[in-house]
Amino acid sequence: MPSETALAFANTHQSKFLQHLKELIAIPSISTDPDHKTDMQHAAEWLQKRLLDIGMTRSEIYQTPGHPIVYSECLAAGPQKPTVLIYGHYDVQPPDPLDLWSTPPFSPTIEQDYLIARGASDMKGQILVSMSAVESVLAQKEFPLNIKWILEGEEEIGSIHLPEFIQEHRDLLACDVILNPDAGMIAPDVPTIVYALRGLAYFELRVYGPDHDLHSGMFGGVIHNPAIVLAEQIARLHDEQGRIAIPGFYDRVRELSAEERQALALLPMDEAYYLRQTGAPALYGEAGYSPAEQVGGRPSLDVNGLYAGFIGQGSKTIIPAYAMAKISMRTVPDQDPQEIHQLFRTHLQHTMPPTVRWELTMLGGGAASISDLHHPAVTAFAKAMRTVWGKDPVFKREGGSIPITGDFQRILGAESVLTGFGLPGDNIHSPNEHLHLPTWSKGIQAIIHFLYEYAIG
Ligand code: BES
Ligand code: MN
């Protein structure tokens, strides 16, 4: 059976696959940092070339006003066979704070079962899972189905140019389903398929007071401190129930059905799970909802960064001229991030005191999405996971965002199988990001099984 020889191929080429992953990780493709522009191009070129090496028949780089997009295909199975479009993003989040890494972020290091590096889990490791699986299948010279790839370099900054690219290349990207391994698993022994993602609305809020830093003795008491104004505004964004206190914010929130709440209650994601994952002393959240509901099915608001005044060593007596916060909200169906922007702006207009000037900028966003659990590809993937893990996958709502999922539905009319082999403890977006290699290997087998399984239909 070709699937067995493909699985055997994957087993004998493990160390080669890992070598390739290390090569890709060593390219510091930080999309948000202009200093890494050439690294973005290098990563795209590395992928474009690797795709040809694994047997794809076409592999191209498309430039965008931002970072390049890699498209590749092998349509050798013919038009009567299904086509899977595999999605990935080769960009990573900045590695800072650097001093908290135990090994350099772009020098992949293996410690016991883990590969430690920025991008190891989110998501270069996941791209290499798919590539290694496809390589193992293509090496059989019998093609169960057609494969296309779309690999972008802007996911971590909101997939800025991807929707337009998809719109312009609808025919090129035509497919029966999208395989997106940018989601993850609940635990190494809990195979997981994600069916909903939250959206995002990301803002920068600046508050300006005096036109320069002031001596806080000469002016303290007559000048309103922008840091205090900002702190008060932030404090006002939640009410006592842990709900977001922007008027109108919940108007479009689609309520969870009783059925869905029952299903979510069965997931191994209780209070103890979140305490263990985070090291926080206690949980916080919207009253009346379980942790799995709060993360997957309810919106949230966070301060991602905060800056004001003197933050060096020692003390300095000033009233700062300005204060700034990065504030983001995770949205759920059917909230619209642009509308949330308007609601937030109106709220600030009503609550900001006349003692300061302020500016609100929306830095990015994307809609939430829900995927069709009855798609044949989901059934095939569930079966593949069952074969590898020996148990049925669980279906969960994810709190993170992959905004392009909704665009794929809207523009291509294509559903996504959202999966992945990263784990909640992988420290993604954080120092010492790592990848659990045994789960990674299982992921390769699962995708091989899936490709054969889905091809039979
Ligand atoms: N892979 C993550 C999303 C994710 C995280 C899925 C955890 C499942 C579990 C993705 O790369 C990501 O971080 N997305 C950003 C999107 C944003 C910048 C638009 C996010 O969620 O912050
Ligand atoms: Mn990410």
Side-chain angles (χ1 to χ4, degrees):
M1 280 244 296
S3 63
E4 270 155 33
T5 46
L7 291 163
F9 181 97
N11 282 334
T12 51
H13 289 77
Q14 282 285 335
S15 59
K16 193 183 110 183
F17 296 157
L18 191 55
Q19 202 46 46
H20 289 138
L21 174 56
K22 287 183 177 173
E23 270 178 47
L24 180 59
I25 285 175
I27 306 172
S29 44
I30 307 164
S31 49
T32 198
D33 188 345
D35 290 347
H36 288 274
K37 183 104 190 125
T38 54
D39 292 315
M40 298 304 294
Q41 179 68 25
H42 287 155
E45 285 166 8
W46 188 94
L47 290 164
Q48 185 256 352
K49 188 176 162 300
R50 255 325 283 151
L51 286 162
L52 289 176
D53 290 347
I54 67 168
M56 303 303 291
T57 49
R58 171 178 175 185
S59 183
E60 281 160 29
I61 294 180
Y62 289 79
Q63 295 300 336
T64 76
H67 301 304
I69 291 169
V70 180
Y71 170 79
S72 180
E73 64 182 32
C74 175
L75 308 179
Q80 64 292 348
K81 288 290 181 184
T83 300
V84 176
L85 174 64
I86 305 177
Y87 165 87
H89 68 82
Y90 63 84
D91 63 325
V92 299
Q93 292 268 338
D96 57 271
L98 284 174
D99 52 328
L100 293 185
W101 283 81
S102 57
T103 58
F106 296 104
S107 305
T109 310
I110 293 185
E111 268 174 33
Q112 287 151 3
D113 278 347
Y114 295 96
L115 179 69
I116 307 165
R118 171 56 86 235
S121 175
D122 184 13
M123 70 164 298
K124 287 172 175 173
Q126 315 305 328
I127 292 181
L128 265 289
V129 168
S130 320
M131 280 201 178
S132 307
V134 170
E135 178 173 1
S136 306
V137 171
L138 295 183
Q140 308 316 308
K141 303 290 171 215
E142 264 181 56
F143 307 102
L145 40 58
N146 302 301
I147 292 167
K148 296 180 177 180
W149 296 83
I150 183 152
L151 303 171
E152 66 157 323
E154 299 187 336
E155 196 273 345
E156 299 290 5
I157 50 173
S159 299
I160 310 164
H161 297 99
L162 192 55
E164 189 184 326
F165 180 86
I166 299 171
Q167 188 75 44
E168 277 171 16
H169 297 87
R170 280 197 304 270
D171 296 339
L172 188 68
L173 300 172
C175 61
D176 294 287
V177 76
I178 292 154
L179 177 65
N180 185 342
D182 194 26
M185 312 218 310
I186 296 179
D189 58 347
V190 184
T192 310
I193 294 178
V194 166
Y195 68 92
L197 294 157
R198 288 198 291 188
L200 185 69
Y202 200 113
F203 305 95
E204 186 169 306
L205 176 59
R206 294 170 174 253
V207 179
Y208 301 92
D211 65 9
H212 57 283
D213 288 358
L214 302 176
H215 187 290
S216 64
M218 293 169 69
F219 298 99
V222 289
I223 296 299
H224 208 171
N225 185 321
I228 294 177
V229 173
L230 181 60
E232 286 172 351
Q233 285 298 330
I234 291 172
R236 223 176 258 145
L237 289 172
H238 287 95
D239 70 11
E240 233 89 286
Q241 301 298 306
R243 285 169 64 90
I244 295 153
I246 299 171
F249 187 86
Y250 288 91
D251 286 0
R252 290 191 197 277
V253 169
R254 203 191 295 176
E255 292 297 326
L256 291 163
S257 68
E259 255 180 323
E260 211 179 333
R261 296 187 77 171
Q262 260 170 20
L264 291 176
L266 299 176
L267 295 179
M269 299 173 75
D270 57 3
E271 190 172 336
Y273 170 87
Y274 279 100
L275 289 174
R276 210 166 49 239
Q277 293 300 331
T278 60
L283 298 189
Y284 165 84
E286 186 184 359
Y289 293 91
S290 71
E293 292 169 346
Q294 286 165 342
V295 167
R298 300 295 296 172
S300 62
L301 180 151
D302 274 287
V303 172
N304 304 104
L306 199 53
Y307 171 82
F310 178 66
I311 55 167
Q313 286 194 23
S315 60
K316 183 184 181 194
T317 45
I318 56 159
I319 296 173
Y322 121 100
M324 183 274 279
K326 309 265 187 188
I327 299 175
S328 68
M329 303 166 203
R330 297 285 170 170
T331 61
V332 299
D334 300 302
Q335 289 179 299
D336 170 8
Q338 297 303 333
E339 193 179 332
I340 296 296
H341 178 189
Q342 282 319 314
L343 293 172
F344 190 26
R345 184 172 294 281
T346 305
H347 171 72
L348 292 172
Q349 279 161 354
H350 288 127
T351 54
M352 276 282 188
T355 46
V356 295
R357 277 189 311 113
W358 56 276
E359 281 168 12
L360 178 72
T361 316
M362 185 163 184
L363 297 183
S369 62
I370 293 202
S371 307
D372 175 12
L373 280 181
H374 304 291
H375 194 285
V378 173
T379 313
F381 207 88
K383 191 164 174 200
M385 284 190 139
R386 194 180 313 131
T387 308
V388 174
W389 274 270
K391 55 165 105 160
D392 286 325
V394 300
F395 294 90
K396 73 166 272 214
R397 279 176 169 255
E398 171 55 50
S401 309
I402 315 175
I404 207 63
T405 312
D407 296 309
F408 280 137
Q409 288 174 329
R410 197 168 43 81
I411 305 170
L412 294 182
E415 282 297 320
S416 295
V417 180
L418 296 160
T419 182
F421 310 98
L423 299 170
D426 285 354
N427 282 16
I428 67 173
H429 295 204
S430 171
N432 303 315
E433 177 175 350
H434 52 270
L435 176 72
H436 187 233
L437 292 169
T439 303
W440 185 73
S441 304
K442 282 186 173 164
I444 297 174
Q445 293 177 31
I447 294 189
I448 294 174
H449 280 291
F450 163 71
L451 294 172
Y452 286 104
E453 191 64 42
Y454 181 51
I456 313 165

